[in-house]
């Protein structure tokens, strides 16, 4: 939730800079909340499975690098329907592919298995 909320700075920036109207900023905000919310869950899962913040950091770095390479901005400042489809076609499978990849790496390199936190009452 916090990871997703942090990314709302972009639609706010675009709105206050006069690059988009309120409806476009809201559309961008909703898209960012969904995409970065899922991303935050994936990065959290990577940390949980590996007990290593570098796994989440590397996944975030790869994600941003790929998206920066393929991202095409329209004159209006928002993605068109075709570009948004390309974004989803690359982004969603990429996140989903990280889950089995991290599981495989965890087993291959004998990374520690995560156990549930114990509370003081246990």
């Amino acid at each position: 939730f916090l990871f997703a909320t942090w990314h709302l700075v972009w639609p706010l920036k675009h709105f206050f800079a006069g690059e988009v109207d309120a409806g476009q900023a809201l559309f961008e905000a909703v898209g960012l909340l969904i995409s970065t919310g899922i991303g935050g869950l994936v990065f959290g899962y990577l940390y949980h499975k590996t007990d290593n913040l570098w796994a989440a950091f590397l996944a975030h770095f790869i994600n941003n690098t790929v998206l920066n390479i393929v991202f095409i901005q329209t004159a209006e400042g928002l993605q068109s329907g075709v570009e948004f489809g390309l974004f989803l076609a690359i982004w969603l499978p990429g996140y989903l592919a990280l889950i089995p990849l991290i599981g495989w790496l965890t087993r291959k390199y004998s990374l520690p298995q995560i156990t549930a936190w114990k509370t003081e009452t246990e």
Side-chain angles (χ1 to χ4, degrees), residues 2-116:
L2 292 174
F3 184 78
T5 304
W6 178 254
H7 287 81
L8 291 180
V9 69
W10 294 109
L12 289 173
K13 176 216 173 260
H14 295 149
F15 176 70
F16 288 119
E19 298 169 359
V20 297
D21 63 31
Q24 291 170 317
L26 180 62
F27 177 76
E28 184 181 8
V30 169
L32 275 173
L33 282 175
I34 293 169
S35 63
T36 57
I38 293 170
L41 291 172
V42 170
F43 300 146
Y45 178 78
L46 293 176
Y47 174 75
H48 176 74
K49 289 303 282 184
T50 64
D51 196 26
N52 187 328
L53 193 56
W54 284 104
F57 172 81
L58 182 60
H60 188 268
F61 173 79
I62 291 168
N63 174 73
N64 283 10
T65 300
V66 169
L67 289 179
N68 285 330
I69 290 170
V70 301
F71 183 74
I72 301 169
Q73 189 174 13
T74 64
E76 291 80 31
L78 293 175
Q79 296 165 331
S80 71
V82 173
E83 292 161 348
F84 189 67
L86 176 63
F87 168 77
L88 285 179
I90 293 170
W91 171 82
L92 189 56
Y95 271 145
L96 296 176
L98 286 174
I99 294 171
L101 174 65
I102 294 303
W104 175 77
L105 289 171
T106 300
R107 289 186 300 278
K108 179 175 171 74
Y109 294 106
S110 301
L111 296 173
Q113 294 297 315
I114 306 300
T115 57

